[in-house]
C-alpha cells in the first residue's frame, strides 16, 4: 500500500486535479463544438431568403417526383400523392408569405418569390392532372417544374 | 418443432418490432441528405441495443424480476427516481411521437387530415392494451412490421448507382460541402433511434410477463442477436431508398409522405399500400410498447402490482397509468403539434437519457447476488463499457448539437 502511495512519476496529476482536468477538457470540447457549430450554422442555414429558397426548392423536387410517379404508373397511389401535395402546398404558401416579408431591396428576392408563385400555381394543375390521370397535362407540369428548378439553381438555391 | 416455430416467431417479431417512428423519420431524413454515410452509426447502435437487451433479458430470465425493479433495489430509491424521471419522460415523449406517426400513416392512406384520427387511435391502443394477449400483440405487430422490407425491393427496382451507394456505405465522414456538426447531430439522432430507452424496459418487463426462466436464455439470446440486427437492415432499407430516389434531387425530407415517395416511384399503389401497412404496424407496435413501458416503470418503481397479463381489476394502478399516458400522448398530438417535430425532439432527448438507462443495467448485470453464475462475462462487459462511452458522448453532445446546428438545419 505504502509503495503505491509513494510512487510519483511527476507526470500523473494529483487526485484532486482530475475534476479540474475533466472540467477543462469539457469546456474545451464545448468551445470547439460551439465554434464549429457557429460555422456550421452559417454554412447550413444562410440568410432567411436562402432558407426559404431551399424549402421552395425541396418542395419543387417533391412535386416533380410526384409527377414522375404519376407518369410511371397506371395506379400511382393517388390519395397518398395528394397528401404529399397538400404538405407541399402548405409549405410553399408559408414560404411565399415569409419571402414577401423580406425587404424588396434584397437581391434575388423578386426572382425566388416569382418562382414560389409559379410552383404554387402549378400545384392546382398537378392535382387536376393526377386526379384525371391526364398524362399530357402531367408532362406539361413536369416541364414547368423542371424550369422552376433550373431557375432556382440559377438563383443560387439548391 | 414447436420450439423451433417459437424461435422463428420470436426472431421475426424482433425484426419487425425493431423499427418505430423514430427509426423511420431518422433514416428517411438521413438517407436523403447523407445517403448511407451514417450507416456506421446504425451499426454501433444495433450492437449497443443487442448487448444491453441481452443483459436485460438475462436479468429477467435469471432473477425473475424486471431490470427496473432491480435498479431501484440495487441503486436506492433516490438514484432510481432520477432514472425514473428521465426515462419516463422520454418514453412518454416517444409514445406521443408514435401516436402522431400512426395518425400520419392513416392520413397518407385515407387523405383525411391526421388530427381527425388521434382520438380513435388513442381508444384503439387502449383497447389493444386491455383486451389483446401479450404474445398475440407482440407477434401480430412484429410480423406485420416486416412489410417495411418493401423499401429494399424499391431500392432494387430503382436500380441506383450501386457503386455510389457502396462508397457511401464505407464512408465515415459527411459528403463534400456538408458541415461536420450537422452530420454529427444526425448521427446522434440515429444512434438514439436505435437505442431508444424504452426498448430495454419493455424487453425485460415483457420477459417477466412471458415467464422467462434460465431454460429460455438461449432462445432470448438468439432472438436479440439475430432479430435486432436484421431489424437494423429494415432501417437501412429506408435510408437506402431515400438515398437512391431523393438524394440526387437535393431535397430535404420533412414529412412522412416524402419517406414513402421512393416506394411510390418504384412500385406504385401496391408498394405504397405495403409500406404504409408496415409503418402502421411498426408505429402501433411501438406505441403499445412505449405505453406499456410507462406503466411498467411506474409500477416497478412504486411497487404496484403490474402486468398486462393481469386484468385491470387486479393491477388497477398499472392499467390506469398506461391509460393516462395514452391520454397524455393523445392530448399533446391533438394540439396540432407537428408529429415529425415531436419525433425529432424525442430522439434528441432519448439521446440525453441514454446513460441513465444503460449504466444501471450494466451495474445490475454484474451483480452476482441477482445473477449468480450468469453475471456478465468479459465480452459483455467490454462491449457494454465501449457502448457506454459512446452513449455518454452522444448524451453530452445531443443538446449542444441541436442548438448550434438549428436542429440539423
Amino acid at each position: 500500500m505504502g509503495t503505491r502511495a509513494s510512487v510519483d512519476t511527476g507526470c500523473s496529476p494529483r487526485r484532486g486535479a482530475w475534476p479540474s482536468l475533466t472540467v477543462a477538457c469539457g469546456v474545451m470540447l464545448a468551445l470547439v463544438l460551439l465554434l464549429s457549430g457557429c460555422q456550421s450554422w452559417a454554412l447550413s442555414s444562410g440568410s432567411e431568403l436562402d432558407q426559404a429558397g431551399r424549402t421552395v426548392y425541396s418542395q419543387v423536387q417533391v412535386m416533380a417526383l410526384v409527377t414522375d410517379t404519376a407518369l410511371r404508373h397506371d395506379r400511382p397511389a393517388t390519395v397518398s400523392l395528394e397528401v404529399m401535395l397538400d404538405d407541399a402546398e402548405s409549405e410553399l404558401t408559408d414560404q411565399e408569405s415569409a419571402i414577401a416579408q423580406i425587404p424588396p431591396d434584397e437581391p434575388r428576392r423578386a426572382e425566388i418569390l416569382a418562382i414560389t408563385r409559379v410552383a404554387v400555381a402549378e400545384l392546382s394543375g398537378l392535382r387536376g392532372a393526377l386526379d384525371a390521370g391526364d398524362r399530357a397535362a402531367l408532362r406539361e407540369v413536369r416541364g414547368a417544374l423542371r424550369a422552376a428548378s433550373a431557375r432556382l439553381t440559377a438563383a443560387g438555391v439548391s | 418443432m414447436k420450439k423451433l416455430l417459437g424461435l422463428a416467431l420470436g426472431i421475426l417479431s424482433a425484426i419487425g418490432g425493431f423499427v418505430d417512428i423514430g427509426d423511420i423519420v431518422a433514416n428517411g431524413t438521413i438517407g436523403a441528405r447523407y445517403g448511407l454515410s451514417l450507416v456506421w452509426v446504425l451499426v454501433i447502435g444495433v450492437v449497443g441495443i443487442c448487448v444491453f437487451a441481452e443483459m436485460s433479458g438475462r436479468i429477467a430470465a435469471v432473477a425473475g424480476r424486471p431490470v427496473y425493479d432491480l435498479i431501484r433495489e440495487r441503486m436506492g430509491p433516490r438514484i432510481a427516481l432520477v432514472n425514473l424521471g428521465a426515462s419516463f419522460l422520454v418514453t412518454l415523449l416517444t409514445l406521443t411521437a408514435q401516436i402522431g406517426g400512426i395518425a400520419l400513416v392513416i392520413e397518407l392512406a385515407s387523405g383525411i387530415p391526421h388530427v381527425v384520427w388521434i382520438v380513435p387511435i388513442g381508444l384503439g391502443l387502449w383497447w389493444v392494451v386491455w383486451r389483446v394477449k401479450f404474445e398475440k400483440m407482440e407477434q401480430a405487430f412484429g410480423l406485420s412490421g416486416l412489410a417495411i422490407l418493401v423499401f429494399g425491393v424499391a431500392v432494387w427496382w430503382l436500380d441506383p448507382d450501386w457503386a455510389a451507394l457502396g462508397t457511401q456505405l464505407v464512408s465515415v465522414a459527411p459528403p463534400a460541402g456538408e458541415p461536420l456538426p450537422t452530420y454529427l447531430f444526425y448521427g446522434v439522432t440515429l444512434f438514439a433511434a436505435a437505442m431508444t430507452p424504452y426498448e430495454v424496459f419493455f424487453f425485460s418487463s415483457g420477459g417477466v410477463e412471458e415467464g422467462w426462466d434460465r431454460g429460455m436464455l438461449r432462445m432470448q439470446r438468439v432472438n436479440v442477436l439475430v432479430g435486432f440486427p436484421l431489424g437494423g437492415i429494415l432501417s437501412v432499407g429506408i435510408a437506402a431508398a431515400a438515398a437512391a430516389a431523393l438524394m440526387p434531387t437535393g431535397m430535404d425530407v420533412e414529412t412522412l409522405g416524402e419517406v414513402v415517395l421512393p416506394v411510390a416511384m418504384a412500385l406504385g399503389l401496391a408498394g405504397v399500400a405495403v409500406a404504409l401497412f408496415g409503418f402502421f404496424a411498426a408505429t402501433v407496435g411501438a406505441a403499445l410498447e412505449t405505453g406499456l413501458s410507462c406503466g411498467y416503470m411506474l409500477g416497478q418503481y412504486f411497487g404496484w402490482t403490474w402486468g398486462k397479463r393481469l386484468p385491470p381489476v387486479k393491477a388497477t394502478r398499472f392499467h390506469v397509468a398506461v391509460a393516462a399516458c395514452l391520454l397524455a400522448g393523445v392530448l399533446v398530438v391533438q394540439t396540432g403539434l407537428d408529429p415529425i417535430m415531436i419525433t425529432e425532439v424525442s430522439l434528441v432527448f432519448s439521446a440525453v437519457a441514454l446513460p441513465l438507462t444503460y449504466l444501471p443495467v450494466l451495474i445490475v448485470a454484474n451483480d452476482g447476488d441477482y445473477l449468480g453464475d450468469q453475471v456478465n462475462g468479459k465480452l459483455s462487459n467490454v462491449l457494454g463499457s465501449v457502448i457506454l462511452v459512446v452513449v455518454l458522448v452522444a448524451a453530452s453532445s445531443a443538446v449542444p448539437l441541436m442548438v448550434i446546428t438549428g436542429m440539423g438545419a
Side-chain angles (χ1 to χ4, degrees):
Chain A
M1 292 293 281
T3 317
R4 197 170 179 190
S6 65
V7 171
D8 186 356
T9 59
C11 61
S12 53
R14 285 177 296 116
R15 252 189 186 190
W18 282 114
S20 319
L21 267 179
T22 311
V23 170
C25 288
V27 170
M28 278 179 65
L29 183 67
L31 277 174
V32 170
L33 276 174
L34 192 64
L35 287 173
S36 55
C38 290
Q39 189 190 11
S40 158
W41 202 342
L43 276 171
S44 63
S45 302
S47 68
E48 200 182 335
L49 186 62
D50 283 328
Q51 286 180 41
R54 261 202 304 276
T55 306
V56 172
Y57 177 86
S58 208
Q59 296 312 315
V60 168
Q61 300 310 316
V62 172
M63 290 166 64
L65 291 177
V66 167
T67 313
D68 284 345
T69 305
L71 279 167
R72 239 181 236 185
H73 298 280
D74 292 334
R75 301 182 70 197
T78 310
V79 172
S80 303
L81 295 179
E82 281 182 351
V83 173
M84 294 174 210
L85 293 180
D86 290 344
D87 291 336
E89 182 172 29
S90 156
E91 200 58 73
L92 284 170
T93 312
D94 286 351
Q95 296 312 320
E96 189 182 348
S97 313
I99 297 168
Q101 311 235 328
I102 294 172
D105 56 345
E106 179 91 24
R108 302 181 299 149
R109 174 193 175 274
E111 173 69 350
I112 294 173
L113 185 58
I115 302 167
T116 308
R117 285 177 176 155
V118 167
V120 172
E122 288 301 329
L123 260 167
S124 58
L126 176 51
R127 266 211 195 90
L130 184 62
D131 273 341
D134 183 344
R135 288 174 181 271
L138 284 169
R139 270 189 283 273
E140 208 172 296
V141 172
R142 186 168 65 176
L145 291 171
R146 278 186 184 159
S149 178
R151 279 175 69 188
L152 280 167
T153 307
V157 177
S158 64
Chain B
M1 190 63 192
K2 200 180 168 189
K3 236 179 181 177
L4 207 63
L5 187 67
L7 184 66
L9 270 177
I11 291 172
L12 291 173
S13 303
I15 298 170
F18 181 85
V19 178
D20 66 8
I21 189 70
D23 296 287
I24 293 166
V25 170
N27 282 286
T29 310
I30 288 168
R33 183 157 182 173
Y34 298 108
L36 297 181
S37 67
L38 272 166
V39 165
W40 62 274
V41 173
L42 187 65
V43 171
I44 297 174
V46 169
V47 170
I49 194 68
C50 284
V51 168
F52 282 95
E54 191 279 328
M55 278 183 216
S56 51
R58 180 158 30 95
I59 292 168
V62 175
R65 292 163 66 188
V67 171
Y68 202 85
D69 195 2
L70 299 182
I71 287 173
R72 189 186 189 283
E73 190 172 281
R74 175 74 168 73
M75 317 282 287
R78 279 193 186 172
I79 292 179
L81 187 62
V82 176
N83 183 306
L84 172 74
S87 304
F88 177 78
L89 288 176
V90 166
T91 304
L92 190 57
L93 193 58
T94 311
L95 166 64
T96 307
Q98 309 300 333
I99 292 172
I102 302 167
L104 289 179
V105 174
I106 301 178
E107 179 182 356
L108 277 169
S110 66
I112 299 170
H114 75 272
V115 284
V116 173
W117 298 106
I118 294 163
V119 172
I121 288 167
L123 290 171
L125 290 171
W126 176 69
W127 183 82
V128 174
V129 167
W130 197 1
R131 302 296 300 174
V132 180
K133 283 188 177 170
F134 191 90
E135 288 88 349
K136 291 266 181 295
M137 180 190 94
E138 271 287 277
Q139 288 167 2
F141 293 108
L143 292 175
S144 304
L146 288 173
I148 294 173
L149 275 171
V150 74
F151 279 83
V153 178
V155 175
W156 171 76
W157 194 94
L158 288 165
D159 193 22
D161 181 349
W162 294 103
L165 280 186
T167 308
Q168 291 163 15
L169 200 59
V170 294
S171 161
V172 288
E178 285 284 1
L180 182 64
T182 315
Y183 175 79
L184 294 177
F185 171 76
Y186 282 109
V188 167
T189 59
L190 190 60
F191 183 68
M195 290 200 70
T196 322
Y198 78 86
E199 292 180 58
V200 162
F201 294 119
F202 182 77
F203 196 67
S204 72
S205 304
V208 174
E209 292 241 40
E210 289 181 325
W212 290 355
D213 54 28
R214 280 170 179 263
M216 297 169 88
L217 272 176
R218 188 173 289 177
M219 190 190 264
Q220 76 88 3
R221 245 176 222 151
V222 174
N223 279 355
V224 167
L225 300 179
V226 178
F228 282 178
L230 291 177
I233 291 175
L234 292 185
S235 298
V236 175
I238 296 171
L246 312 181
M247 194 185 182
T249 70
M251 62 174 273
D252 293 323
V253 165
E254 282 160 10
T255 65
L256 194 64
E258 288 160 16
V259 179
V260 181
L261 196 45
V263 177
M265 290 169 67
L267 305 168
L269 178 62
V272 171
V274 176
L276 292 181
F277 176 70
F279 280 0
F280 180 77
T283 47
V284 170
L288 293 167
E289 291 181 5
T290 45
L292 285 169
S293 295
C294 288
Y296 290 145
M297 286 177 201
L298 293 173
Q300 288 160 23
Y301 182 85
F302 291 109
W304 303 338
T305 304
W306 60 271
K308 190 186 141 15
R309 284 178 169 236
L310 299 172
V313 72
K314 284 193 178 164
T316 311
R317 284 176 291 191
F318 167 77
H319 280 277
V320 168
V322 173
C325 292
L326 286 172
L327 179 64
V330 162
L331 290 175
V332 171
V333 187
Q334 194 69 70
T335 60
L337 281 174
D338 177 12
I340 298 295
M341 177 58 77
I342 297 173
T343 304
E344 287 169 346
V345 171
S346 79
L347 289 177
V348 173
F349 287 99
S350 283
V352 174
L354 288 176
L356 290 166
T357 303
Y358 291 108
L359 177 62
V361 175
L362 189 62
I363 292 171
V364 172
N366 275 289
D367 193 323
D369 289 344
Y370 295 122
L371 289 175
D373 60 338
Q374 291 293 333
V375 289
N376 270 3
K378 269 185 188 167
L379 183 65
S380 287
N381 275 335
V382 169
L383 285 173
S385 304
V386 171
I387 293 295
L388 208 57
V389 171
V390 181
V391 158
L392 285 169
V393 172
S396 55
S397 59
V399 171
L401 283 171
M402 177 182 78
V403 172
I404 60 185
T405 64
M407 199 84 189

